[in-house]
């Protein structure tokens, strides 16, 4: 009984609280879908030509750093449009991606 109440409260707090200020889940989805698009572009560069190999390594190996190029402008637009929750979700997702990228780089280069 207590667990279901907690789950209901969390879902309401994260998803339903959209009173014109956006949604954290929407920000997470925006960032991670753009990251998937970036990885897809990197894969296309890999299969396109051997000369594009350095660009592939940058797009795939440094996804946490490259995403700054599109996360910061989108964050600024969301803040200006009055969607602080969506902007917060975008920054949370970018931070998680950057942390995962740094951890994987340390594991690979170790």
């Amino acid at each position: 009984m207590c667990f279901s109440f907690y789950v209901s409260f969390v879902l309401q707090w994260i998803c339903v609280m959209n009173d014109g200020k956006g949604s954290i889940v929407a920000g997470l989805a925006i960032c991670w879908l753009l990251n998937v698009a970036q990885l897809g572009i990197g894969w296309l560069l890999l299969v396109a030509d051997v000369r594009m190999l350095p660009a592939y390594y940058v797009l795939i190996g440094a996804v946490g750093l490259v995403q700054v190029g599109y996360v910061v402008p989108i964050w600024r637009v969301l803040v200006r449009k009055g969607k602080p929750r969506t902007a917060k979700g975008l920054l949370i997702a970018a931070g998680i991606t950057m942390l995962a990228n740094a951890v994987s780089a340390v594991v690979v280069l170790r």
Side-chain angles (χ1 to χ4, degrees):
M1 178 87 167
C2 184
F3 180 73
S4 64
F5 173 74
Y6 177 72
V7 170
S8 171
F9 176 74
V10 169
L11 287 176
Q12 180 183 8
W13 184 74
I14 290 175
C15 300
V16 181
M17 288 184 63
N18 190 2
D19 55 352
K21 295 183 179 182
S23 166
I24 291 176
V25 175
L28 296 172
I30 290 168
C31 185
W32 285 331
L33 287 173
L34 288 171
N35 287 344
V36 168
Q38 177 183 342
L39 294 175
I41 291 169
W43 181 79
L44 289 174
L45 290 174
L46 176 65
V47 299
D49 194 6
V50 172
R51 293 177 292 182
M52 299 304 287
L53 206 54
Y56 165 76
Y57 285 134
V58 169
L59 281 176
I60 302 301
V63 67
L65 294 175
V66 174
Q67 75 177 350
V68 172
Y70 54 84
V71 167
V72 171
I74 295 171
W75 175 78
R76 290 182 65 197
V77 167
L78 288 170
V79 169
R80 285 184 185 172
K81 295 285 184 177
K83 306 283 185 187
R85 290 193 186 119
T86 307
K88 185 186 295 186
L90 188 76
L91 290 181
I92 291 170
I96 291 171
T97 302
M98 194 172 290
L99 179 66
N101 188 221
V103 168
S104 64
V106 167
V107 168
V108 168
L109 297 176
R110 188 172 176 184

